[in-house]
Amino acid sequence: MLSPTSDYETSSPNTFYFNQSGPTEFVFWLLTISPKIQALLFSFFLLLYMMIICSTTAIIWATYTHTSLQTPMYFFLSSLSFVEICYTTTSVPLMLSNILRARKPIPLAGCATHMFFFGTLGSTDCFLMTVMAYDRYVAICHPLQYTLIMTPQLCTQMVAGSLGLAVFLSLPLTSLIFTLPFCGCFLEINHFFCDVPPVLNLACADILVPRAVLYVISTIVLTVPFLLICISYVFITITILRIPSAEGRQRAFSTCSSHLTVVLLQYGCGGLVYFRPPSSTPADEDWHLALVYTFVTPLLNPIIYTLRNKDVKNALKKVISKKAASENL
């Protein structure tokens, strides 16, 4: 771990004291102290962030401007894209700011707010993936009843329910964590944002109950949706194997494998962070895994879910062509 700047006096590896009578604030772990590497990391992560924003925005734009994409499947995709824009925006700008403005403190209330929004949006992301698996189950296993089951009202309710359940789970967990006492005024978080495990480890009180609550909520957010996705795909696989056309089976399996790839990345990394025993691996591995579900998964989602889809690519081409034609007039 890198040493703190000279403005802080250290009494423990994770605690920095500046003024004992002041309010509690957090500082984030430095990725590097080299200005050249800082500039390189800043440029790299900024490029990834802009790619995520542009690709997900393109999906939303195409969905709402092209009538052929205004179906339940693409409604869920556009909802997922919007959530991931918000999801990455809660953490990446903070990370970029920390790279250039080393050890900029964040107040207790700011860290709590950030944790709440990150937890809410991350949970919503997981629930929406489950909703999308159900949508594919209905489309493949019950194609004749698809339009009767997946009504616009149900689709809206499922997206709203995903967000509502995420808020319901994130708010009490965040409140519980930030009612714990924190010893010292400046505490170092071994992470690049206010995630639950590293902040919880800084509390100077018994964290058995908060950690148990974290496991219960993680089970609801990660394990239960993952099992539901697996069950959906068992039925989907059985139905696909009954398709007589080899081309039809290949197309269906391609769609399933794409979705499952993102699911395994998202749930696998989340499970390693939130279900892992506290002393099983070094703490700095948390932020290595967090880089995957903060950058890699949101970047892969538009490519895997939609940009490989001919309908979406054709819609984007038409929208861009119309935009270019209108500007030339």
Side-chain angles (χ1 to χ4, degrees), residues 114-125:
H114 175 265
M115 181 183 292
F116 167 72
F117 280 107
F118 182 82
T120 297
L121 294 167
S123 300
T124 304
D125 194 288

Side-chain angles (χ1 to χ4, degrees), residues 180-208:
L180 296 172
F182 292 93
C183 300
C185 295
F186 285 88
L187 306 175
E188 182 184 54
I189 300 176
N190 192 16
H191 215 299
F192 57 88
F193 62 87
C194 292
D195 202 3
V196 176
V199 173
L200 191 58
N201 289 335
L202 297 177
C204 54
D206 185 8
I207 61 172
L208 181 61

